Amino acid sequence: MVNTTIKTTKSQEIFAAAQNLMPGGVSSPVRAFKSVGGQPIVFDRVKGAYIWDVDGNQYIDYVGTWGPAICGHAHPEVIAALHAALEKGTSFGAPCALENVLAEMVINAVPSIEMVRFVNSGTEACMAVLRLMRAFTKRDKIIKFEGCYHGHADMFLVKAGSGVATLGLPDSPGVPKSTTRDTLTAAYNDLEAVKTLFEQNRDEIAGVILEPVVGNAGFITPDAGFLEGLRELTHEHGALLVFDEVMTGFRIAYGGAQEKFGITPDLTTLGKIIGGGLPVGAYGGRRDIMSMVAPAGPMYQAGTLSGNPLAMTAGIKTLELLQKPGTYDYLDKVTKKLADGLLEVAKETGHAVCGGQISGMFGMFFTPGPVHNYEDAKKSDTAKFGRFHRGMLERGIYLAPSQFEAGFTSFAHTDEDIEQTLAAARDVMSSL
Ligand code: HOZ
């Protein structure tokens, strides 16, 4: 019999105190459980596929610190490498040989990247890449897609995904209209809309930025021909194609979505996995474009902690682990079992759902679907998702606390973990 009550006394105490100290009691809104009800659980420690909260409850984790934990949390080899690096100091603010090692690994892995600049987060990477798109093309307008999230910089907070979608704040106050005037939007997977925008704004569009597989509006895959079409359109109009692979980089394939789908963008942003759980981001691409970045060129971008030895070390060790034969096959197998299993359980218990996975990234919507874009995703029964989330949590399964976030597995997740998860899902869905 599955335990359906969990003790959360300490979590509640800590979160109550946190609400007086930090806005909403959190350091990032996506953690706040606002759309699923209840209160966030407060973590104490993480290991492999599991997390433990401050009340001693154990959960199977499908958030993986929002993507980085692809090797499982606190992998012993990553921790050992970090211990050794720590002895030499935490930050140099000066060149460090480890930057070369990680840069080379990234360049060798990601088809579009000939040169790379390290920063400290995915947000920073996207902010910088936008400046670079504009600097290189001498054009100001960009196209982004509804429900795609490229961090919280002003220019991207237009019909954005992730926390802003979860909280229903698509266009945040405090973002001046003048800042987003040049951010044009289209529905994801709608090539005709992009074509029209290019025709209406001839010679004015610097480029198109997108999540090649959307993870910030739930999990949405590109329709056949969509990425190819964007590549052709951007070529035709002298604009740049930018893949935001902060989520998909090193996750859906070692070389990211661009390797998986065989489409090479001009520029790419990365984060999450390449920091192995430490704060990191990166942007890179064609050498002629990257040569514009200061001090090689005039486009300014900088950072005190960028390329710091701890983040570089965790990233290097994580990518080394990912290079082991069979890693991505395993991730695909275990995640397919989960995603297929969830659809099967939903069918058996009479719920209309759709969803899927690519490698270790997955998602499920409470709508018959299909989901091609954010408008489709919004048809999901989010109240039902909230009840599902709560039920799963009570049964020891930690899912992202929003319908509009993808889920992540790691190679620490076992068949038994998946079976336990599906048993919990069957139990919850039977009583939804
Ligand atoms: N980019 C992460 C997934 N949407 C969320 C990280 C955050 O905003 O805290």
Side-chain angles (χ1 to χ4, degrees), residues 28-31 66 149 162-163 215-216 247 272 405:
S28 185
V30 296
R31 306 172 188 177
W66 300 97
Y149 180 71
S162 190
N216 284 291
M247 271 192 189
K272 299 194 190 281
E405 298 283 358

Side-chain angles (χ1 to χ4, degrees), residues 197-329:
L197 286 175
F198 270 115
E199 277 157 13
Q200 289 170 344
N201 299 274
R202 210 158 261 285
D203 300 331
E204 289 183 290
I205 295 175
V208 176
I209 184 166
L210 77 157
E211 295 177 72
V213 173
V214 184
N216 284 291
F219 173 79
I220 308 175
T221 54
D223 290 347
F226 180 58
L227 299 177
E228 290 84 343
L230 292 178
R231 185 61 287 184
E232 280 165 25
L233 275 175
T234 44
H235 270 149
E236 190 187 323
H237 289 272
L240 300 175
L241 180 63
V242 183
F243 279 5
D244 176 348
E245 298 231 40
V246 170
M247 271 192 189
T248 51
F250 294 93
R251 173 151 292 275
I252 66 170
Y254 190 69
Q258 50 201 276
E259 177 195 307
K260 181 96 197 160
F261 295 103
I263 304 294
T264 305
D266 301 293
L267 292 166
T268 298
T269 56
L270 295 168
K272 299 194 190 281
I273 287 173
I274 61 157
L278 273 83
V280 98
Y283 62 101
R286 275 168 37 196
R287 184 174 292 274
D288 59 328
I289 307 176
M290 289 303 291
S291 299
M292 288 212 71
V293 179
M299 191 218 83
Y300 200 71
Q301 181 272 311
T304 300
L305 295 171
S306 297
N308 86 79
L310 290 182
M312 297 297 102
T313 297
I316 293 164
K317 186 47 77 179
T318 298
L319 298 199
E320 277 174 14
L321 289 166
L322 289 174
Q323 285 173 4
K324 291 194 176 162
T327 303
Y328 287 91
D329 288 344

Side-chain angles (χ1 to χ4, degrees), residues 77-293:
E77 289 187 43
V78 177
I79 298 294
L82 279 172
H83 273 299
L86 197 52
E87 291 298 324
K88 295 171 137 191
T90 57
S91 176
F92 300 162
C96 141
L98 295 166
E99 292 169 272
N100 292 19
V101 178
L102 188 58
E104 218 161 25
M105 291 175 100
V106 167
I107 289 165
N108 289 339
V110 184
S112 67
I113 300 189
E114 293 172 348
M115 287 185 110
V116 66
R117 164 62 61 85
F118 292 113
V119 292
N120 299 290
S121 69
T123 289
E124 236 189 279
C126 292
M127 274 168 64
V129 96
L130 174 56
R131 188 175 304 145
L132 184 55
M133 289 161 80
R134 289 171 164 170
F136 186 77
T137 59
K138 300 189 178 60
R139 299 173 180 180
D140 287 343
K141 293 185 180 175
I142 58 147
I143 298 175
K144 80 172 277 289
F145 294 92
E146 293 161 15
C148 280
Y149 180 71
H150 306 291
H152 60 82
D154 284 0
M155 308 74 74
F156 290 123
L157 286 186
V158 184
K159 298 184 183 167
S162 190
V164 278
T166 304
L167 299 174
L169 305 168
D171 312 296
S172 169
V175 175
K177 286 213 166 29
S178 56
T179 312
T180 54
R181 196 183 41 215
D182 291 324
T183 307
L184 313 176
T185 58
Y188 187 78
N189 274 324
D190 188 347
L191 211 47
E192 279 308 307
V194 179
K195 203 181 266 178
T196 304
L197 286 175
F198 270 115
E199 277 157 13
Q200 289 170 344
N201 299 274
R202 210 158 261 285
D203 300 331
E204 289 183 290
I205 295 175
V208 176
I209 184 166
L210 77 157
E211 295 177 72
V213 173
V214 184
N216 284 291
F219 173 79
I220 308 175
T221 54
D223 290 347
F226 180 58
L227 299 177
E228 290 84 343
L230 292 178
R231 185 61 287 184
E232 280 165 25
L233 275 175
T234 44
H235 270 149
E236 190 187 323
H237 289 272
L240 300 175
L241 180 63
V242 183
F243 279 5
D244 176 348
E245 298 231 40
V246 170
M247 271 192 189
T248 51
F250 294 93
R251 173 151 292 275
I252 66 170
Y254 190 69
Q258 50 201 276
E259 177 195 307
K260 181 96 197 160
F261 295 103
I263 304 294
T264 305
D266 301 293
L267 292 166
T268 298
T269 56
L270 295 168
K272 299 194 190 281
I273 287 173
I274 61 157
L278 273 83
V280 98
Y283 62 101
R286 275 168 37 196
R287 184 174 292 274
D288 59 328
I289 307 176
M290 289 303 291
S291 299
M292 288 212 71
V293 179

